[in-house]
mmCIF file of all heavy atoms in Angstrom:
data_model
loop_
_atom_site.group_PDB
_atom_site.id
_atom_site.type_symbol
_atom_site.label_atom_id
_atom_site.label_comp_id
_atom_site.label_asym_id
_atom_site.label_seq_id
_atom_site.Cartn_x
_atom_site.Cartn_y
_atom_site.Cartn_z
ATOM 1 N N ALA A 69 -19.314 51.662 -94.945
ATOM 2 C CA ALA A 69 -20.445 52.631 -95.112
ATOM 3 C C ALA A 69 -21.548 52.427 -94.258
ATOM 4 O O ALA A 69 -22.146 53.305 -93.714
ATOM 5 C CB ALA A 69 -20.856 52.623 -96.563
ATOM 6 N N LYS A 70 -21.880 51.083 -94.074
ATOM 7 C CA LYS A 70 -22.989 50.703 -93.153
ATOM 8 C C LYS A 70 -22.761 51.124 -91.710
ATOM 9 O O LYS A 70 -23.597 51.612 -91.050
ATOM 10 C CB LYS A 70 -23.306 49.188 -93.375
ATOM 11 C CG LYS A 70 -24.574 48.610 -92.505
ATOM 12 C CD LYS A 70 -24.673 47.341 -92.719
ATOM 13 C CE LYS A 70 -25.923 46.821 -91.755
ATOM 14 N NZ LYS A 70 -26.191 45.309 -92.013
ATOM 15 N N ALA A 71 -21.556 50.815 -91.276
ATOM 16 C CA ALA A 71 -21.187 51.247 -89.932
ATOM 17 C C ALA A 71 -21.162 52.699 -89.779
ATOM 18 O O ALA A 71 -21.476 53.134 -88.593
ATOM 19 C CB ALA A 71 -19.790 50.666 -89.599
ATOM 20 N N ALA A 72 -20.812 53.509 -90.698
ATOM 21 C CA ALA A 72 -20.842 54.948 -90.582
ATOM 22 C C ALA A 72 -22.131 55.657 -90.877
ATOM 23 O O ALA A 72 -22.341 56.772 -90.622
ATOM 24 C CB ALA A 72 -19.756 55.461 -91.495
ATOM 25 N N GLY A 73 -23.074 54.777 -91.251
ATOM 26 C CA GLY A 73 -24.442 55.302 -91.677
ATOM 27 C C GLY A 73 -24.407 56.218 -92.911
ATOM 28 O O GLY A 73 -25.163 57.199 -92.988
ATOM 29 N N VAL A 74 -23.550 55.937 -93.893
ATOM 30 C CA VAL A 74 -23.631 56.783 -95.116
ATOM 31 C C VAL A 74 -23.800 55.826 -96.359
ATOM 32 O O VAL A 74 -23.760 54.591 -96.179
ATOM 33 C CB VAL A 74 -22.087 57.347 -95.289
ATOM 34 C CG1 VAL A 74 -21.764 58.369 -94.076
ATOM 35 C CG2 VAL A 74 -21.137 56.210 -95.428
ATOM 36 N N PRO A 75 -24.284 56.443 -97.392
ATOM 37 C CA PRO A 75 -24.727 55.546 -98.554
ATOM 38 C C PRO A 75 -23.480 54.945 -99.107
ATOM 39 O O PRO A 75 -22.436 55.328 -99.065
ATOM 40 C CB PRO A 75 -25.353 56.719 -99.432
ATOM 41 C CG PRO A 75 -25.633 57.837 -98.640
ATOM 42 C CD PRO A 75 -24.704 57.850 -97.572
ATOM 43 N N PHE A 76 -23.830 53.900 -99.729
ATOM 44 C CA PHE A 76 -22.713 53.046 -100.412
ATOM 45 C C PHE A 76 -23.002 53.136 -102.002
ATOM 46 O O PHE A 76 -24.124 52.739 -102.348
ATOM 47 C CB PHE A 76 -22.670 51.565 -99.939
ATOM 48 C CG PHE A 76 -21.857 50.608 -100.882
ATOM 49 C CD1 PHE A 76 -20.383 50.745 -100.794
ATOM 50 C CD2 PHE A 76 -22.490 49.810 -101.822
ATOM 51 C CE1 PHE A 76 -19.802 50.024 -101.659
ATOM 52 C CE2 PHE A 76 -21.698 48.998 -102.579
ATOM 53 C CZ PHE A 76 -20.301 49.082 -102.572
ATOM 54 N N ARG A 77 -22.016 53.415 -102.843
ATOM 55 C CA ARG A 77 -22.196 53.419 -104.291
ATOM 56 C C ARG A 77 -21.523 52.118 -104.772
ATOM 57 O O ARG A 77 -20.192 52.070 -104.527
ATOM 58 C CB ARG A 77 -21.660 54.670 -104.860
ATOM 59 C CG ARG A 77 -22.035 54.725 -106.347
ATOM 60 C CD ARG A 77 -21.673 56.187 -106.892
ATOM 61 N NE ARG A 77 -20.209 56.286 -107.171
ATOM 62 C CZ ARG A 77 -19.415 57.136 -106.643
ATOM 63 N NH1 ARG A 77 -19.882 58.094 -105.879
ATOM 64 N NH2 ARG A 77 -18.184 57.183 -107.045
ATOM 65 N N ALA A 78 -22.090 51.347 -105.533
ATOM 66 C CA ALA A 78 -21.552 50.217 -106.089
ATOM 67 C C ALA A 78 -20.291 50.379 -106.933
ATOM 68 O O ALA A 78 -20.306 51.467 -107.655
ATOM 69 C CB ALA A 78 -22.539 49.360 -106.918
ATOM 70 N N PHE A 79 -19.215 49.590 -106.755
ATOM 71 C CA PHE A 79 -18.052 49.873 -107.650
ATOM 72 C C PHE A 79 -18.228 49.358 -109.017
ATOM 73 O O PHE A 79 -19.144 48.597 -109.404
ATOM 74 C CB PHE A 79 -16.881 48.980 -107.037
ATOM 75 C CG PHE A 79 -16.357 49.520 -105.676
ATOM 76 C CD1 PHE A 79 -16.951 50.560 -104.984
ATOM 77 C CD2 PHE A 79 -15.085 49.157 -105.215
ATOM 78 C CE1 PHE A 79 -16.367 51.090 -103.857
ATOM 79 C CE2 PHE A 79 -14.470 49.629 -104.090
ATOM 80 C CZ PHE A 79 -15.102 50.694 -103.444
ATOM 81 N N ASP A 80 -17.266 49.648 -109.888
ATOM 82 C CA ASP A 80 -17.473 49.435 -111.301
ATOM 83 C C ASP A 80 -16.049 49.194 -111.786
ATOM 84 O O ASP A 80 -15.213 50.097 -111.470
ATOM 85 C CB ASP A 80 -18.127 50.581 -112.056
ATOM 86 C CG ASP A 80 -18.490 50.207 -113.560
ATOM 87 O OD1 ASP A 80 -18.176 48.997 -113.947
ATOM 88 O OD2 ASP A 80 -18.865 51.116 -114.295
ATOM 89 N N MET A 81 -15.701 48.107 -112.527
ATOM 90 C CA MET A 81 -14.531 47.937 -113.129
ATOM 91 C C MET A 81 -14.611 47.296 -114.674
ATOM 92 O O MET A 81 -15.320 46.229 -114.610
ATOM 93 C CB MET A 81 -13.486 47.059 -112.158
ATOM 94 C CG MET A 81 -12.173 46.754 -112.743
ATOM 95 S SD MET A 81 -11.125 45.881 -111.663
ATOM 96 C CE MET A 81 -10.712 47.204 -110.489
ATOM 97 N N GLN A 82 -14.104 47.872 -115.509
ATOM 98 C CA GLN A 82 -14.232 47.256 -116.834
ATOM 99 C C GLN A 82 -12.806 47.321 -117.582
ATOM 100 O O GLN A 82 -12.098 48.239 -117.625
ATOM 101 C CB GLN A 82 -15.220 48.169 -117.625
ATOM 102 C CG GLN A 82 -16.647 48.385 -116.950
ATOM 103 C CD GLN A 82 -17.414 49.475 -117.692
ATOM 104 O OE1 GLN A 82 -17.213 49.745 -118.784
ATOM 105 N NE2 GLN A 82 -18.206 50.131 -116.964
ATOM 106 N N THR A 83 -12.608 46.199 -118.208
ATOM 107 C CA THR A 83 -11.335 46.074 -119.032
ATOM 108 C C THR A 83 -11.561 45.324 -120.242
ATOM 109 O O THR A 83 -12.228 44.402 -120.314
ATOM 110 C CB THR A 83 -10.281 45.303 -118.207
ATOM 111 O OG1 THR A 83 -9.918 45.920 -116.983
ATOM 112 C CG2 THR A 83 -8.929 45.123 -119.043
ATOM 113 N N GLY A 84 -11.196 45.958 -121.473
ATOM 114 C CA GLY A 84 -11.307 45.452 -122.669
ATOM 115 C C GLY A 84 -10.017 45.320 -123.498
ATOM 116 O O GLY A 84 -9.443 46.397 -123.702
ATOM 117 N N TRP A 85 -9.659 44.195 -123.922
ATOM 118 C CA TRP A 85 -8.409 44.022 -124.899
ATOM 119 C C TRP A 85 -8.841 44.032 -126.224
ATOM 120 O O TRP A 85 -9.887 43.398 -126.634
ATOM 121 C CB TRP A 85 -7.596 42.757 -124.558
ATOM 122 C CG TRP A 85 -6.976 42.947 -123.203
ATOM 123 C CD1 TRP A 85 -7.468 42.415 -121.866
ATOM 124 C CD2 TRP A 85 -5.638 43.263 -122.919
ATOM 125 N NE1 TRP A 85 -6.582 42.753 -120.993
ATOM 126 C CE2 TRP A 85 -5.331 43.118 -121.561
ATOM 127 C CE3 TRP A 85 -4.599 43.717 -123.816
ATOM 128 C CZ2 TRP A 85 -4.174 43.545 -120.971
ATOM 129 C CZ3 TRP A 85 -3.404 44.254 -123.217
ATOM 130 C CH2 TRP A 85 -3.147 43.967 -121.852
ATOM 131 N N GLN A 86 -8.076 44.616 -127.197
ATOM 132 C CA GLN A 86 -8.445 44.619 -128.557
ATOM 133 C C GLN A 86 -7.126 44.471 -129.458
ATOM 134 O O GLN A 86 -6.074 44.743 -128.879
ATOM 135 C CB GLN A 86 -9.090 45.983 -128.880
ATOM 136 C CG GLN A 86 -10.440 46.214 -128.189
ATOM 137 C CD GLN A 86 -10.835 47.695 -128.240
ATOM 138 O OE1 GLN A 86 -10.125 48.593 -127.833
ATOM 139 N NE2 GLN A 86 -12.087 47.855 -128.765
ATOM 140 N N VAL A 87 -7.281 44.012 -130.608
ATOM 141 C CA VAL A 87 -6.233 43.824 -131.529
ATOM 142 C C VAL A 87 -5.724 44.988 -132.142
ATOM 143 O O VAL A 87 -6.561 45.835 -132.739
ATOM 144 C CB VAL A 87 -6.554 42.771 -132.613
ATOM 145 C CG1 VAL A 87 -5.356 42.750 -133.610
ATOM 146 C CG2 VAL A 87 -6.842 41.551 -132.012
ATOM 147 N N VAL A 88 -4.553 45.364 -131.955
ATOM 148 C CA VAL A 88 -3.852 46.548 -132.782
ATOM 149 C C VAL A 88 -3.317 46.134 -134.047
ATOM 150 O O VAL A 88 -3.443 46.752 -135.113
ATOM 151 C CB VAL A 88 -2.845 47.356 -131.861
ATOM 152 C CG1 VAL A 88 -2.303 48.446 -132.600
ATOM 153 C CG2 VAL A 88 -3.472 47.802 -130.549
ATOM 154 N N ALA A 89 -2.482 45.005 -134.031
ATOM 155 C CA ALA A 89 -1.941 44.420 -135.194
ATOM 156 C C ALA A 89 -1.734 42.975 -135.053
ATOM 157 O O ALA A 89 -1.451 42.517 -133.867
ATOM 158 C CB ALA A 89 -0.638 45.190 -135.546
ATOM 159 N N ASN A 90 -1.752 42.230 -136.156
ATOM 160 C CA ASN A 90 -1.681 40.795 -136.064
ATOM 161 C C ASN A 90 -0.753 40.468 -137.333
ATOM 162 O O ASN A 90 -1.224 40.293 -138.389
ATOM 163 C CB ASN A 90 -2.851 40.116 -136.062
ATOM 164 C CG ASN A 90 -2.794 38.558 -135.750
ATOM 165 O OD1 ASN A 90 -1.805 38.037 -135.431
ATOM 166 N ND2 ASN A 90 -3.927 37.883 -135.884
ATOM 167 N N THR A 91 0.481 40.388 -137.033
ATOM 168 C CA THR A 91 1.510 40.084 -138.110
ATOM 169 C C THR A 91 1.908 38.540 -137.982
ATOM 170 O O THR A 91 1.527 37.927 -137.192
ATOM 171 C CB THR A 91 2.854 41.020 -138.062
ATOM 172 O OG1 THR A 91 3.520 40.657 -136.921
ATOM 173 C CG2 THR A 91 2.401 42.411 -137.882
ATOM 174 N N LEU A 92 2.750 38.160 -138.967
ATOM 175 C CA LEU A 92 3.114 36.843 -138.956
ATOM 176 C C LEU A 92 3.785 36.419 -137.731
ATOM 177 O O LEU A 92 3.686 35.259 -137.205
ATOM 178 C CB LEU A 92 4.123 36.588 -140.166
ATOM 179 C CG LEU A 92 4.595 35.195 -140.423
ATOM 180 C CD1 LEU A 92 3.349 34.268 -140.723
ATOM 181 C CD2 LEU A 92 5.619 35.072 -141.534
ATOM 182 N N ARG A 93 4.619 37.370 -137.100
ATOM 183 C CA ARG A 93 5.474 36.879 -135.935
ATOM 184 C C ARG A 93 4.785 37.381 -134.586
ATOM 185 O O ARG A 93 4.845 36.770 -133.586
ATOM 186 C CB ARG A 93 6.809 37.485 -136.054
ATOM 187 C CG ARG A 93 7.657 37.160 -134.774
ATOM 188 C CD ARG A 93 9.012 37.417 -134.845
ATOM 189 N NE ARG A 93 9.905 37.185 -133.687
ATOM 190 C CZ ARG A 93 11.177 37.262 -133.410
ATOM 191 N NH1 ARG A 93 11.871 37.656 -134.483
ATOM 192 N NH2 ARG A 93 11.671 36.953 -132.290
ATOM 193 N N PHE A 94 4.114 38.616 -134.674
ATOM 194 C CA PHE A 94 3.577 39.258 -133.374
ATOM 195 C C PHE A 94 2.039 39.477 -133.487
ATOM 196 O O PHE A 94 1.496 39.772 -134.607
ATOM 197 C CB PHE A 94 4.309 40.552 -133.258
ATOM 198 C CG PHE A 94 5.759 40.547 -132.959
ATOM 199 C CD1 PHE A 94 6.633 40.822 -133.955
ATOM 200 C CD2 PHE A 94 6.318 40.158 -131.673
ATOM 201 C CE1 PHE A 94 7.982 40.671 -133.751
ATOM 202 C CE2 PHE A 94 7.529 40.024 -131.537
ATOM 203 C CZ PHE A 94 8.434 40.319 -132.504
#
Side-chain angles (χ1 to χ4, degrees):
K70 183 178 180 179
V74 298
F76 168 77
R77 188 173 80 238
F79 284 16
D80 189 7
M81 181 175 288
Q82 307 169 29
T83 300
W85 289 91
Q86 297 165 305
V87 175
V88 180
N90 192 4
T91 68
L92 184 63
R93 179 170 180 179
F94 292 102

